């Protein structure tokens, strides 16, 4: 270790130097007037010219960078004060040698005290549990053939079919037959099978036919101890620590900084090779902790919004909310997303509690991703846990989706209209026999656009359309939050047998997968997995969250229904109209249908479809009903909870019967 003066003495010297050359001191807490820094060298650059550290922390009065041999434990091998020319400039320290293999932290002296060490906010590699940043050669983390990795083709956003999964749920159960259960590498394994011989893993995804995998948070989060890889820990990961590094517990060696990076890239590469795009769930709206976060330890206060008492505002319900409207935070989000899209080749981003962010930030994200590839998809939760501090009209809320072209929002309108209230377990929806849900279902069918045949006053939540085009809405009936579909059906229809419950689930998903917009499903529902009734399984054990793949053989008929439903959507562009104009031109609701029935036609080879006309009708009641349809001969594509893509059975006339709790799809 090199010799260095006492921290306290140097802090005093540093303050004196700062005061002498600073004309207009930055006022603590006057965040909008903090001098911003636009350089692309923040925190670490390393190469032949040595190692340079650059920290943005205008109100620090001294900063130290420490160099370590280890990612955890041990003493620093080097410790150096960083310098700045003025308070307008970031802090800098330069080492002549390239410090590959070393770890580093910053600590700032602020308001009279030394804050805890932090890896900074831009760390791209970290040691175990993300406590220290690591200096590695990023190019060396690229798997073989990475330079040839390409995103699978995508013509338009409405071609997307999203499958949301957690690494551990998907592959940890013994029945998954995956040697890398719960890890990034699980998705690189081809040929895995359940004990009954059904495909699991990536082969299962291909068999199902989805186009995009949405992985739950996979950046470095705080609630799983990475140093104990063999213990059965579980968390969804909505507790961000290091935004620009992968989570260590999903790697085979969390102690080696390069391993998690390489293995995450291998995952993306394997999915791409198999024709599947990959979406990262990003959670910039809050951090795991407030005062102890890397944001707070780097530039105290700046990255968060505050309440009237000066404490953390908390629109996330997680203890704090970040301030995307501040320039350095907006840049941070934009740069982080760009980084994942370029370094890791991610194809989409799902923004947690997007309503906390401001609209300008989401538009900036869209604009930057367009420069990389306009087919990168962006969507988010257009809501927050409480009202954010900034004015509502500035927030990236669902109701403001039309102000954010190219950014999609989840439709809770369709979700709860179809299955019943998300948090009231016994609440029913259209698919489970609730009356009065018709307009909510119709709202979903058109992709939340303006359509003359919808009475918006009767839609459950939104009393007005909110998208410009169907490309801006995610249609779904379940996700990781709240009860999964199986549990919801069981809770709301307690007297129904399993076969009948599956019937409700099929009706619900048929509405999702035939609606205009982007369909989204939660992992395992295609084999009727459950979570034993647990609503919020964010830290539940494997007994609750892991998918038992033996269900696939047991519920093979149910799986085949999903597979056919997805194939139906993929092979018929009428269900994937990309603009409001096309929907209004081709989609017409059949008027005068009985209560608990929604029916419509897709006309004139909609979207270039080979079918000239399609009838789609949903019956939410427990009795078969007859409806009027356009006169003629029709192929029966779906009826009575079954699908026949070839439409071998036909009917003729101007009337058709929809079985109880089922969809009817006719074509000609
Ligand atoms: Ca972690």
């Amino acid at each position: 270790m090199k010799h260095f003066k006492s921290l306290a003495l140097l802090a005093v010297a540093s303050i004196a130097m700062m005061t002498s050359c600073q004309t207009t001191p930055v006022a603590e807490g006057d965040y909008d007037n903090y001098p911003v820094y636009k350089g692309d060298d923040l925190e670490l650059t390393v190469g032949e010219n040595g190692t340079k550290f650059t920290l943005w922390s205008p109100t620090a009065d001294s900063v130290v960078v420490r160099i370590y041999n280890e990612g955890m434990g041990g003493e620093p091998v080097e410790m150096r004060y960083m310098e700045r020319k003025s308070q307008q400039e970031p802090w800098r320290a330069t080492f002549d040698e390239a410090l590959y293999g070393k770890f580093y932290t910053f600590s700032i002296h602020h308001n009279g005290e030394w804050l805890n060490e932090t890896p900074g906010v831009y760390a791209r590699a970290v040691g175990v549990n993300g406590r220290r940043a690591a200096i590695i050669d990023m190019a060396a983390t690229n798997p073989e053939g990475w330079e040839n990795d390409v995103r699978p083709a995508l013509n338009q956003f409405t071609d997307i079919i999203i499958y949301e999964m957690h690494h551990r749920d998907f592959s940890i159960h013994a029945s998954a037959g995956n040697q890398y259960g719960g890890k990034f590498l699980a998705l690189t394994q081809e040929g895995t099978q359940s004990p009954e011989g059904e495909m699991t893993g990536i082969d299962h995804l291909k068999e199902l036919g989805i186009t995009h995998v949405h992985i739950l948070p996979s950046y470095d989060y705080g609630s799983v101890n990475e140093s104990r890889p063999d213990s059965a820990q579980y968390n969804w990961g909505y507790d961000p620590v290091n935004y620009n590094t992968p989570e260590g517990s999903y790697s085979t060696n969390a102690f080696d900084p390069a391993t998690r990076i390489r293995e995450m890239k291998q995952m993306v590469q394997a999915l791409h090779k198999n024709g599947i795009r990959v979406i990262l769930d990003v959670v910039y709206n809050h951090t795991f902790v407030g005062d102890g976060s890397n944001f707070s330890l780097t530039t105290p206060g700046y990255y968060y919004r505050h309440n009237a008492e000066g404490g953390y505002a908390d629109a996330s319900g997680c203890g704090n909310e970040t301030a995307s409207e501040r320039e350095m935070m907006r840049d941070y989000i934009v740069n982080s997303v760009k980084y994942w899209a370029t370094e890791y080749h991610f194809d989409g981003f799902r923004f947690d509690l997007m309503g906390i962010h401001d609209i300008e930030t989401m538009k900036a994200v869209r604009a930057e991703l367009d420069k990389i590839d306009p087919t990168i998809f962006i969507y988010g939760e257009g809501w927050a846990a409480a009202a954010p501090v900034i004015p509502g009209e500035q927030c990236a809320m669902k109701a403001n989706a039309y102000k954010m072209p190219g950014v999609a929002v989840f439709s809770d309108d369709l979700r709860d209209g179809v299955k019943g209230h998300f948090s009231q377990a016994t609440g029913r929806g259209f698919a489970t026999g609730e009356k009065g849900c018709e307009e909510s279902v119709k709202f979903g069918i058109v992709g939340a656009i303006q359509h003359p045949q919808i009475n918006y006053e009767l839609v459950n939540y939104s009393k007005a359309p909110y998208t410009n085009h169907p490309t801006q809405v995610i249609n779904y009936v379940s996700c990781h939050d709240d009860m999964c579909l199986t549990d919801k059906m069981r809770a709301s229809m307690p007297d129904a047998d399993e076969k009948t419950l599956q019937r409700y689930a099929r009706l619900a998903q048929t509405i999702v997968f035939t609606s205009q917009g982007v369909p989204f499903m939660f992992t395992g529902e295609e084999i009727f997995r459950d979570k034993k009734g647990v609503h919020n399984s964010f830290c539940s054990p494997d007994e609750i969250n892991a998918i038992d793949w033996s269900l696939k053989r047991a519920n093979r008929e149910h799986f085949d229904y999903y597979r056919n439903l997805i194939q139906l959507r993929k092979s018929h562009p009428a269900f994937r109209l990309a603009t409001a104009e096309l929907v209004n031109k081709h989609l017409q609701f059949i008027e005068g249908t009985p209560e608990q029935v929604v029916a419509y036609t897709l006309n004139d080879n909609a979207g270039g479809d080979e079918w000239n006309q399609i009838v789609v009708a949903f019956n939410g009641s427990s009795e078969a009903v007859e409806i009027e349809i356009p006169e003629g001969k029709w192929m029966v594509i779906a009826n009575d909870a079954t699908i026949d893509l070839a439409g071998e059975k036909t009917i003729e006339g101007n009337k058709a019967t929809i079985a109880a709790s089922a969809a009817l799809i006719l074509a000609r």
Side-chain angles (χ1 to χ4, degrees), residues 129-130 219-226 241 246-249 260:
N129 285 324
Y219 52 73
D220 177 36
Y221 60 80
S223 54
V224 166
N225 184 349
E226 298 173 4
V241 176
E247 161 62 15
S249 64
R260 61 179 76 187

Side-chain angles (χ1 to χ4, degrees), residues 70-72 101 103 125-129 132 134-136 140-141 226 246-248 251-263:
E70 309 86 5
M72 183 176 71
F103 296 81
V126 294
V128 67
N129 285 324
R132 293 174 187 162
I135 304 171
I136 63 168
T141 66
E226 298 173 4
E247 161 62 15
S251 75
T252 59
N253 182 359
F255 291 86
D256 172 43
T259 301
R260 61 179 76 187
I261 298 171
R262 182 180 304 109
E263 291 178 351

Side-chain angles (χ1 to χ4, degrees), residues 55 59-60 105 138 162 181-182 239 241 275 285 289 340 392 396 399 431 504 512 517 533 542 590 612 649 662:
L55 194 75
T59 55
T105 65
M138 286 299 290
I162 300 172
D239 47 351
V241 176
N285 70 83
V289 293
W340 287 112
Y504 298 134
V512 168
D542 291 339
I590 298 175
N612 175 256
K649 192 179 162 222

